[in-house]
Amino acid sequence: MTLAQELFDKASEYLPADRVSWVREAYLFAHEAHQGQLRKSGEPFIDHPLNTALYLAEMKLDSVALSAALLHDVLEDTDVGYDLLSDRFGEDVAKLVDGVTKLTRSEQENGIDEETLAVPHDARAASIRKMLMTMAEDVRVVLIKLADRLHNMRTLGSMKEDRRLAIARETLDIYAPLAHRLGIWEIKWILEDLAFQHLNPDAYKEISQLLATKRDERERYIERVVGLLKEELGADGVEAQVTGRAKHIYSIYLKGQKYSRANRSIDEINDLFALRIVVNDIQECYAALGTVHAKWRPLPGEFDDYIANPKDNLYQSLHTAVLCEGGAPVEIQIRTREMHHLAEFGIAAHWLYKEGDASDAKFEQKMIWLRQILDWQRDVSGAEEFIEGFKTDVFENQVFVYTPRGDLKELPAGATPLDFAYRVHTEVGHRCIGAKLNGKLVPLQHQLQNGDTVEIMTSKTVRGPSRDWLNDNLQYLQTASAKSKVRQWFNRQERKANIQTGKEVFAKEVRRLDTEIMESAVADLMSFDSIEDFFCALGSGAVTIGNVVSKLTATEVQEKVDVAAAEVTLPDPTPGIQVLGVGDLLTRMARCCNPIGGDKITGYITRGRGVTVHRQTCPNVLRESEIERLVPVDWGEAKTLYPVRIRLEGWDRVGLLRDVTSQVSDEGVNIAYCSTIPSEDSSVITLTVLVDSLDQLTKLFAKLEGVVGVMQVYRTTQ
Ligand code: MN
């Protein structure tokens, strides 16, 4: 089978037919473009892009990435230009190819240090920076680059020695750590072993011989252990795949380095393989762990739960090590199939079955992590100035701090522990009550420095942020995102509370007025966009229930009149009184002179009972010494009064009726009818009052509710 056919078959396993034919077209185009070119090894050039694409197909990458992989060298090595590529295969593919080409060009400018055979720090920094930048735009560029490098490493033998060593070194220094950071273990290990083979051929040979001599013995052992484990798991009802895998040569070499520092020989390394258990779901992972630990004694300190606490590159598994058969220590990984796929292909697993959809929110989350992968210290050996230069150069206005678990967070310079708390999680910010920096308590306004480990102390109970945090002069917060979260909290709290209050006030008033007002109509009437906005305004006091009621037309009242009036004889509508110059002050007719419409009148400001209206000729007025208490009043525009029946329910007590009626008359409202129905301990008072508007009725309700013993006041038609 040709390589091309192998690629199409592989792609057909997970891509729809039209996508596969698209990949086929890219192949034909690349084949044509590279026609006649040969690699150093003498193979046709097209084999290289084909192999590159094949690795990506194993990772189940989408058709765009596969096409770009097939075309990845045409811009660099043929006459084909960007525009042609873009026309034929679309912007996405062209951009990917362009990205790969640019990375390749920058790489070729790097030499290696003649003495140490290492890539100089600044060149390495430049390479990594370029990769990070490119990756932030589209991580597929780097995946193609890794696959490209993988094939180049496999065919390195035909290169000249210095070039060969330079590429191997670069692979170990840059590409393997990159694969590691992206969680693509499969590629990382292969790259490491391939590079190691060229860089340290003697050690490589020694270890592979060691592995070879004990191979039979080891394979028999693995077979036996796998068999035992399957049996036990089956007995416990766990359906699992159990495999034993040899460790990679470079990782054995690193382990051997450690052993030799401890004066032990590499022959003593007996954990040259690890066991892996793949199960269906998370529950089974823990069940399998139980089975393993029941069968063999776990080694203390070797258990890690990366399911509950995934690594920052999303890796999940349970890790343990046990004293296996014959007392040999064996590492065991337990994971689900999904976790296994992620562990092998890392970030690439995202494209699994996700043809053409790279924009979901979960993925965006992962990309945030990707942009923060400056935690190179662990991966790129030594070179502090490189790390420093890298930080200041690329992200000079940033500080990088750690969570207590060692996760890296990136914040703008000047950020505080409180900013950090909000970056970790909004809820952590809201509950933040203190902070420790590198183990020491610091004020929440403290400025974070590069490398600080920040521990946030939170309250157990739900509590909100402090108002002070929004005061810029107090410098609690530097980041706009944290500030807006605090602001949102307050808005939400207040709004929630205000809406609730407004709702209650309104419902109560509607009930009392016994009107049928549609909520939606009220929002409209009061010119609010939504009923929530209206309730919020009502609850906060920006709008009063009086404002609302006064907007309701008098016809609202009248509609109810007929029913209410049916049982009472109504007096003729009486004109109301308006006191000029004092607005809405309470007015009542003086009992001494009983002015009636048309009399010349004057107002007298009483202590606490509003204005009393007297005839101008009343002796009490003429005798009054405090002239300033007299105010001009006039019979106002005649207002039509409407009878409205209201009902009060309250605790029966002596004087209740008297207090109620006096409140009504204090309000300047006449009572046309009154009845009380006393029962054992409560009393129901029904009144027909003459009001000029709903507004007046609302005020009356408020007054009557203040009377001791009154529990409820409402309008009724019965
Ligand atoms: Mn290439």
Side-chain angles (χ1 to χ4, degrees):
M1 185 164 55
T2 64
L3 268 177
Q5 196 49 51
E6 201 181 325
L7 173 67
F8 305 143
D9 285 355
K10 194 132 242 151
S12 304
E13 285 172 17
Y14 67 97
L15 290 179
D18 62 321
R19 298 284 88 190
V20 177
S21 61
W22 208 51
V23 172
R24 196 188 305 267
E25 241 178 83
Y27 161 71
L28 293 173
F29 186 91
H31 186 269
E32 173 84 23
H34 290 295
Q35 192 70 56
Q37 293 177 351
L38 294 178
R39 299 202 88 208
K40 285 238 161 57
S41 56
E43 312 160 330
F45 191 90
I46 191 67
D47 282 7
H48 168 65
L50 267 173
N51 273 294
T52 306
L54 206 48
Y55 295 135
L56 298 178
E58 259 161 44
M59 293 191 231
K60 297 192 165 55
L61 277 189
D62 63 358
S63 58
V64 170
L66 295 187
S67 304
L70 286 166
L71 297 161
H72 84 265
D73 276 325
V74 298
L75 288 184
E76 183 70 5
D77 296 335
T78 75
D79 308 334
V80 175
Y82 182 92
D83 292 341
L84 177 57
L85 217 49
S86 168
D87 284 350
R88 281 292 299 270
F89 299 100
E91 195 72 9
D92 282 352
V93 170
K95 268 191 187 152
L96 284 178
V97 174
D98 190 48
V100 175
T101 307
K102 280 177 182 151
L103 281 185
T104 307
R105 272 182 201 147
S106 79
E107 196 177 85
Q108 282 164 354
E109 290 157 14
N110 296 337
I112 57 164
D113 191 298
E114 298 290 329
E115 270 177 43
T116 62
L117 285 182
V119 180
H121 291 146
D122 50 349
R124 191 160 61 168
S127 288
I128 292 179
R129 184 163 64 209
K130 277 220 172 70
M131 294 231 197
L132 282 173
M133 303 286 199
T134 318
M135 192 155 61
E137 258 166 53
D138 194 333
V139 75
R140 288 175 295 186
V141 171
V142 176
L143 296 176
I144 294 169
K145 198 63 206 156
L146 280 172
D148 171 54
R149 177 52 59 110
L150 187 56
H151 186 246
N152 284 339
M153 284 303 291
R154 285 204 156 130
T155 52
L156 202 55
S158 46
M159 303 288 271
K160 277 198 305 192
E161 168 141 18
D162 61 338
R163 194 71 203 129
R164 193 160 59 82
L165 290 178
I167 291 174
R169 175 49 70 180
E170 191 187 49
T171 300
L172 202 58
D173 284 353
I174 295 173
Y175 286 90
L178 190 61
H180 173 88
R181 293 299 299 164
L182 293 173
I184 311 169
W185 309 100
E186 225 23 66
I187 289 193
K188 168 199 147 92
W189 285 320
I190 299 171
L191 286 177
E192 277 177 352
D193 278 4
L194 289 169
F196 182 60
Q197 189 179 359
H198 290 279
L199 294 170
N200 197 338
D202 294 342
Y204 184 90
K205 210 181 281 170
E206 189 195 344
I207 295 169
S208 38
Q209 272 167 3
L210 176 81
L211 286 174
T213 52
K214 294 193 172 177
R215 178 163 292 143
D216 288 353
E217 191 189 323
R218 197 173 56 243
E219 277 172 1
R220 274 200 304 277
Y221 183 81
I222 292 177
E223 206 178 310
R224 198 172 120 230
V225 171
V226 166
L228 280 171
L229 203 48
K230 270 189 173 159
E231 216 172 278
E232 295 283 332
L233 287 168
D236 289 346
V238 179
E239 188 194 320
Q241 277 182 332
V242 185
T243 49
R245 61 169 181 87
K247 285 193 176 166
H248 293 268
I249 290 176
Y250 187 63
S251 70
I252 294 172
Y253 168 76
L254 291 180
K255 201 155 199 168
Q257 299 281 79
K258 265 192 227 160
Y259 274 57
S260 70
R261 278 197 292 275
N263 281 323
R264 293 165 68 185
S265 143
I266 200 162
D267 292 330
E268 289 179 55
I269 303 176
N270 43 19
D271 51 341
L272 295 178
F273 69 98
L275 289 180
R276 179 176 298 144
I277 303 173
V278 178
V279 293
N280 294 314
D281 55 38
I282 290 179
Q283 250 178 331
E284 285 188 345
C285 288
Y286 291 101
L289 181 73
T291 304
V292 168
H293 282 180
K295 174 92 182 140
W296 296 301
R297 193 159 67 78
L299 291 170
E302 295 289 323
F303 173 64
D304 282 303
D305 185 347
Y306 296 116
I307 291 179
N309 304 298
K311 291 191 178 184
D312 58 1
N313 56 16
L314 311 172
Y315 175 84
Q316 285 188 302
S317 271
L318 297 177
H319 285 191
T320 188
V322 295
L323 276 183
C324 205
E325 296 300 297
V330 172
E331 286 176 28
I332 301 179
Q333 300 169 339
I334 305 168
R335 51 174 77 144
T336 65
R337 248 184 290 282
E338 202 189 342
M339 291 173 194
H340 181 56
H341 188 81
L342 186 70
E344 277 187 286
F345 299 123
I347 197 74
H350 164 73
W351 278 274
L352 181 61
Y353 314 125
K354 282 220 169 155
E355 179 66 14
D357 175 21
S359 61
D360 64 302
K362 237 178 164 178
F363 182 65
E364 285 307 309
Q365 270 309 106
K366 292 172 192 171
M367 290 309 290
I368 291 170
W369 162 75
L370 267 179
R371 293 188 186 105
Q372 291 178 350
I373 58 159
L374 291 163
D375 193 12
W376 290 91
Q377 232 147 340
R378 281 188 290 167
D379 313 317
V380 182
S381 50
E384 267 160 28
E385 78 270 25
F386 154 69
I387 301 294
E388 270 321 301
F390 188 56
K391 279 180 184 168
T392 50
D393 199 354
V394 187
F395 297 97
E396 54 187 338
N397 296 319
Q398 308 287 309
V399 284
F400 296 90
V401 294
Y402 294 89
T403 68
R405 268 176 42 202
D407 295 336
L408 192 75
K409 297 279 169 199
E410 175 191 337
L411 290 160
T416 66
L418 203 51
D419 284 305
F420 174 86
Y422 276 102
R423 177 62 58 87
V424 171
H425 195 278
T426 306
E427 200 51 41
V428 173
H430 289 340
R431 290 179 186 225
C432 177
I433 48 172
K436 281 184 183 173
L437 217 58
N438 310 316
K440 278 193 201 135
L441 271 172
V442 292
L444 287 179
Q445 303 99 310
H446 189 92
Q447 280 201 2
L448 299 175
Q449 302 298 321
N450 268 324
D452 282 343
T453 296
V454 191
E455 188 184 337
I456 296 298
M457 289 174 286
T458 53
S459 67
K460 293 243 157 37
T461 54
V462 180
R463 82 195 269 284
S466 158
R467 283 256 177 216
D468 285 348
W469 296 356
L470 288 176
N471 184 339
D472 280 341
N473 295 325
L474 298 177
Q475 300 195 309
Y476 276 104
L477 291 170
Q478 171 74 25
T479 58
S481 62
K483 284 181 196 168
S484 87
K485 281 172 185 169
V486 174
R487 227 173 278 124
Q488 273 168 21
W489 189 89
F490 280 114
N491 289 344
R492 209 168 35 239
Q493 293 306 310
E494 281 160 12
R495 191 173 157 84
K496 242 161 90 184
N498 285 338
I499 288 175
Q500 190 53 36
T501 311
K503 230 179 194 159
E504 284 164 10
V505 167
F506 184 74
K508 188 172 162 196
E509 207 59 26
V510 167
R511 213 164 42 238
R512 295 200 308 190
L513 292 172
D514 191 29
T515 56
E516 276 152 47
I517 306 166
M518 300 296 288
E519 288 189 351
S520 55
V522 170
D524 237 28
L525 181 72
M526 300 301 293
S527 321
F528 282 94
D529 288 344
S530 74
I531 189 68
E532 298 236 300
D533 289 349
F534 164 70
F535 285 147
C536 187
L538 189 61
S540 72
V543 167
T544 65
I545 193 69
N547 296 152
V548 182
V549 174
S550 64
K551 279 233 178 186
L552 299 170
T553 58
T555 57
E556 297 265 358
V557 189
Q558 196 146 29
E559 278 171 16
K560 299 284 175 188
V561 166
D562 299 342
V563 196
E567 290 169 30
V568 280
T569 323
L570 289 172
D572 288 336
T574 321
I577 294 217
Q578 206 177 20
V579 181
L580 298 179
V582 270
D584 263 350
L585 262 185
L586 295 176
T587 57
R588 38 181 222 125
M589 294 305 138
R591 298 216 176 98
C592 49
C593 54
N594 279 319
I596 53 161
D599 285 338
K600 293 202 166 161
I601 46 172
T602 188
Y604 175 76
I605 303 174
T606 64
R607 290 189 169 82
R609 302 184 83 189
V611 171
T612 324
V613 177
H614 295 262
R615 291 162 72 172
Q616 284 182 354
T617 54
C618 175
N620 287 332
V621 171
L622 296 172
R623 266 209 307 271
E624 185 54 58
S625 55
E626 295 177 75
I627 303 297
E628 63 276 16
R629 281 177 173 266
L630 296 173
V631 290
V633 293
D634 203 353
W635 296 109
E637 230 176 280
K639 285 184 183 171
T640 313
L641 295 178
Y642 304 100
V644 173
R645 176 166 293 190
I646 63 175
R647 185 160 293 163
L648 290 85
E649 292 172 19
W651 301 108
D652 199 17
R653 65 169 174 88
V654 177
L656 176 64
L657 184 61
R658 183 199 61 216
D659 290 350
V660 165
T661 51
S662 91
Q663 281 294 342
V664 176
S665 57
D666 274 1
E667 202 42 42
V669 172
N670 286 325
I671 298 172
Y673 172 86
C674 176
S675 80
T676 60
I677 309 163
S679 63
E680 265 171 36
D681 53 357
S682 69
S683 180
V684 177
I685 302 173
T686 306
L687 295 171
T688 300
V689 293
L690 301 171
V691 293
D692 58 21
S693 64
L694 273 183
D695 203 8
Q696 194 178 29
L697 190 59
T698 292
K699 280 181 194 149
L700 185 61
F701 281 150
K703 281 274 173 180
L704 292 174
E705 273 193 335
V707 174
V708 176
V710 172
M711 291 181 302
Q712 275 204 77
V713 189
Y714 52 92
R715 191 171 171 187
T716 177
T717 50
Q718 286 160 8

